[in-house]
Amino acid sequence: MPPLLQTNTAYQSATGCVVWQGECAQDDAELAAFLQGPVAARLNDTAGGEALHEHLRGLSLTGMGQDTLATVLAAEVPETRDWAAGEALAEAVLETHHKVKLPWNNERDKRNPFASLPGADIVGFQRDGDSHRLALGEVKCSSEAKWPPQVMHGRSGMIHQLDFLANDLGTINQLLMWLLPRVKHTEHEEAFNAACTRYLNSGRRDLVLFGILVRDQEARESDLSARGRRLASSLSGPTHCQLVALYLPWPIAQLPQAVGQGGVT
């Protein structure tokens, strides 16, 4: 079983189908283990790298080919951008604490190691009873000493993007087309079918939306409360929306280092 992220709950509330909570991480061995384990695996796509290694090792390579393979595999570019580490942290929290399965690592879609990808940050399924429902979401990082920070506002802000994910048919179409070939003939196909059945049979309302805000400022409920109430006015059950603010014990800029080394020194 992977290590869990131990946090202290600073606040928790709900309006309608929207729940929001603030979780404070402690600078301790448990945080280091979580960063070095599940977060590092997401950030570095450990599973994808191992699959590539095993596949290429099975080729009929000469001695020069083996040496070249070792050189290519050693040339992986480490991810050092704090927002990318923040997304990996959010993904790991969802998988380990919220019964979410993200069947595909977006790192594999990058043709340029320094690029970012358009579309929803979170695309997967959440186990709900003996079934699954579609799980979509956005991740934002902010060091701004303002509550709520700017990343929650405007057309590029989290709340607008979540509302868009819930209601824009073109976006849903694109996400499902992207997801299907990545789960077809895999262990995740059954979850995909169940989630799509629930979504369609409910008239596009049976899904869960996640908004994850990674912060390095004082924990204040005003980070999420006003925006959560606004979002609740445009969503209705069985749609469920969960907003989570993760408060780090040190600057977000140090997150990539903490993932690589297991802690900040």
Side-chain angles (χ1 to χ4, degrees):
M1 182 176 179
L4 299 178
L5 178 62
Q6 304 298 327
T7 60
N8 295 325
T9 300
Y11 55 83
Q12 186 170 19
S13 191
T15 296
C17 62
V18 179
V19 176
W20 59 87
Q21 65 193 80
E23 300 292 338
C24 299
Q26 308 303 307
D27 191 4
D28 54 23
E30 285 75 16
L31 175 60
F34 188 75
L35 294 175
Q36 245 182 344
V39 179
R42 294 296 306 184
L43 182 64
N44 302 320
D45 190 13
T46 301
E50 291 175 349
L52 176 65
H53 191 185
E54 287 301 313
H55 182 83
L56 295 181
R57 281 180 57 188
L59 302 180
S60 299
L61 299 177
T62 64
M64 178 180 293
Q66 294 288 354
D67 291 342
T68 303
L69 172 59
T71 302
V72 169
L73 293 174
E76 181 179 2
V77 179
E79 180 58 81
T80 59
R81 295 172 293 182
D82 51 8
W83 64 263
E87 285 190 7
L89 171 61
E91 291 170 354
V93 167
L94 290 178
E95 288 202 314
T96 56
H97 291 264
H98 294 274
K99 300 181 181 179
V100 171
K101 185 61 182 177
L102 304 171
W104 186 260
N105 193 321
N106 288 338
E107 291 294 309
R108 299 172 201 175
D109 288 329
K110 292 180 178 178
R111 293 177 175 84
N112 182 329
F114 306 105
S116 59
L117 293 170
D121 298 324
I122 304 299
V123 184
F125 320 105
Q126 183 189 48
R127 175 165 286 282
D128 181 40
D130 58 357
S131 182
H132 288 83
R133 58 184 173 185
L134 195 62
L136 305 175
E138 293 292 334
V139 181
K140 300 292 184 183
C141 299
S142 177
S143 296
E144 185 179 15
K146 181 181 178 182
W147 296 263
Q150 189 61 37
V151 295
M152 302 296 288
H153 298 275
R155 294 190 62 81
S156 61
M158 178 191 291
I159 301 307
H160 176 79
Q161 290 176 326
L162 290 177
D163 193 36
F164 195 74
L165 282 176
N167 295 295
D168 187 77
L169 287 177
T171 298
I172 293 294
N173 175 277
Q174 196 67 32
L175 291 174
L176 293 180
M177 283 202 300
W178 175 86
L179 192 54
L180 175 59
R182 289 158 175 80
V183 301
K184 190 73 172 176
H185 304 308
T186 74
E187 61 181 304
H188 306 296
E189 186 173 359
E190 184 177 348
F192 175 86
N193 291 340
C196 288
T197 298
R198 289 178 57 165
Y199 177 74
L200 296 171
N201 284 343
S202 66
R204 301 187 291 114
R205 290 188 301 168
D206 194 352
L207 77 163
V208 58
L209 301 170
F210 284 99
I212 310 296
L213 175 64
V214 181
R215 291 282 266 157
D216 54 12
Q217 298 293 322
E218 176 188 355
R220 297 186 187 179
E221 189 169 1
S222 52
D223 271 339
L224 301 178
S225 56
R227 297 295 158 179
R229 292 187 183 97
R230 176 182 170 184
L231 192 58
S233 67
S234 65
L235 300 176
S236 60
T239 299
H240 179 73
C241 179
Q242 186 146 9
L243 306 178
V244 181
L246 297 173
Y247 296 94
L248 300 178
W250 22 254
I252 291 174
Q254 299 183 41
L255 185 55
Q257 172 196 349
V259 173
Q261 300 180 2
V264 173
T265 57

